[in-house]
Every structure is written in structure tokens, then in C-alpha cells.
């Protein structure tokens, strides 16, 4: 459906451009269907959360987003429910809606489970991946390297996602693919957080080079191990970042308290 591809527009910094939705409707001369509006709202909000434009704990208001996206409040409300099921949004008492907080233990568990799924997928992919898929994987690895070297984190993360997705699809297991897709949104948000630390970004890129080499050789056992380590390292990075955040908040609170006493 070309309308949906045009409706969901995100610029290179991860900022949504809702005006594209209006342009798409006028160009096609078609009125968006109810389901289209819901999916549009889901993709726009998901993109804003993953890009960090909506911070953890930030309150979300139907009216504000309906005006920003140029749609009624109903698809926005339905999008909140969809994203709550994905773990990206929290639906609190008194109809309060906010961006879900990142729980380091929950994130670590998601990474552990997703790592197990992708490790299995990687082993199967070594047996089942097609020549065309290998060529695409080569191109994506080149993209990944280019975006890392230029410091384009948004495009790097998209290339990263496509690589992981291709490996899972190459496993040719519908059940595995379904389970992977259910966990992906939570893992993608965590992945955006980990790459903000430049040290982890560099380590993750090096890990991807080894993953790529093992898949090119169809070395299933090595690839399985590398994939498990890749996700385990990501989980540890999340914990380190959360520790730094807690320390920063403690010292900010201390500085504020000291300043108030001096006044």
C-alpha cells in the first residue's frame, strides 16, 4: 500500500513529519481508512519513542498528538493500546498515559530471550540462506560500516535492524519469525539507548563484522555463539547506562539541596 509508506515519514534525526500524511492523502485523492490511520499513528509514535524524542516517563496526550498528526483522537487512542502491548507505553490509572520507563532487569531479560531466538535463527540461516540474501547482507554490512564511520546513528540503527531481520527471515521458520517480531519493539528501544554510548556503539560494530564473516562462511556454531555474546553485551551496556543515570540523578539532587541550603 503506497499510501502507508508515504504517511509514515521520519527525517534523518528521527523526527516525525506529520505533514507528509496530508500530502499523501491529497496526492492520491483517497481518504485514509480507519485502519490506516491507526497504523499511521502507531508508526509515528513508535518512531518518536525509539528515536528518543519522547523520553521515558513523559506523559502522552491524545489531543496533542491528534492535532500534530492531523487525525482524530480515536486512532491515537488505539495506537496507545497497541504500543502498550509492545511495552513502549504504560497505561496508568486515571487514564494517564506515559512513555514506559526502561527497567534494566526487564530489558536484560528481553535481550536474553531475543538473543536466544536470533542465535537459533543464525544457526538455521547458515543452512538455509539464499545467494540473493547473502548479496543483500553484504550490501547492508557496507551500509552499516558507512553509517558508523560518518556517525549517522539513525541510519546505522536502521541498517542494523535490517541485518537482524534478514538473518531471522533467512532461517525460514515462521514460528521463530513470529516470536521475534513480538519482542522486537522492546529490544529496538533498548538498542537505541545502548548506541548512545560511543564505546558500546564501536564494540557493537566490531561484533557485527565478526557475525557477518561467520555467516558468509556458513559457520553455524560460531555464528550462534557470536549472536549470544552480541546480545549479552548489549544487556550489560544497558545496565551500565542505567547505573550512570542513577548516579547523575543522585548528584543533581545533592547539588540542588546544597544550593537551597546556601540560599
Amino acid at each position: 500500500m503506497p499510501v502507508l509508506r508515504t504517511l509514515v515519514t521520519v527525517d534523518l534525526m528521527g523526527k516525525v513529519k506529520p505533514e507528509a500524511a496530508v500530502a499523501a492523502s491529497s496526492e492520491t485523492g483517497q481518504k485514509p481508512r480507519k485502519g490506516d490511520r491507526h497504523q499511521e499513528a502507531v508508526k509515528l509514535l513508535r518512531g518518536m519513542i525509539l528515536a528518543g524524542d519522547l523520553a521515558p516517563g513523559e506523559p502522552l496526550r491524545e489531543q496533542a498528538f491528534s492535532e500534530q498528526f492531523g487525525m482524530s483522537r480515536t486512532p491515537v487512542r488505539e495506537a496507545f493500546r497497541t504500543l502498550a502491548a509492545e511495552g513502549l507505553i504504560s497505561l496508568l490509572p486515571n487514564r494517564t498515559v506515559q512513555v514506559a520507563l526502561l527497567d534494566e532487569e526487564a530489558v536484560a531479560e528481553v535481550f536474553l530471550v531475543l538473543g536466544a531466538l536470533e542465535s537459533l535463527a543464525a544457526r538455521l540461516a547458515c543452512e538455509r540462506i539464499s545467494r540473493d540474501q547473502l548479496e543483500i547482507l553484504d550490501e547492508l554490512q557496507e551500509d552499516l560500516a558507512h553509517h558508523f564511520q560518518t556517525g549517522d546513528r539513525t541510519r546505522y540503527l536502521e541498517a542494523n535492524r535490517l541485518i537482524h531481520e534478514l538473518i531471522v527471515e533467512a532461517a525460514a521458520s515462521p514460528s521463530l519469525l513470529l516470536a521475534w517480531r513480538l519482542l522486537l519493539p522492546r529490544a529496538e528501544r533498548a538498542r537505541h539507548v545502548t548506541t548512545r554510548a560511543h564505546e558500546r556503539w564501536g564494540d557493537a560494530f566490531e561484533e557485527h563484522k565478526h557475525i557477518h564473516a561467520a555467516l558468509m562462511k556458513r559457520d553455524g556454531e560460531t555464528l550462534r555463539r557470536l549472536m549470544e555474546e552480541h546480545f549479552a553485551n548489549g544487556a550489560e551496556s544497558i545496565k551500565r547506562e542505567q547505573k550512570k543515570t542513577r548516579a547523575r540523578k543522585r548528584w543533581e539532587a545533592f547539588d540542588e539541596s546544597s544550593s537551597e541550603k546556601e540560599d
Side-chain angles (χ1 to χ4, degrees), residues 26-51:
S26 61
E27 287 174 7
T28 60
Q30 300 176 357
K31 289 185 176 180
R33 293 175 298 180
K34 181 179 178 181
D36 293 346
R37 284 298 201 188
H38 168 232
Q39 292 301 321
E40 176 191 348
V42 167
K43 291 182 179 181
L44 289 171
L45 284 167
R46 185 190 289 127
M48 295 170 77
I49 293 171
L50 293 181

Side-chain angles (χ1 to χ4, degrees), residues 117-118 121-122 125 163-173 176-177 180:
L117 288 174
E118 291 208 24
I163 288 172
H164 283 272
E165 184 173 44
L166 189 151
I167 292 173
V168 177
E169 288 180 347
S173 171
L176 196 158
L177 181 61
W180 179 81

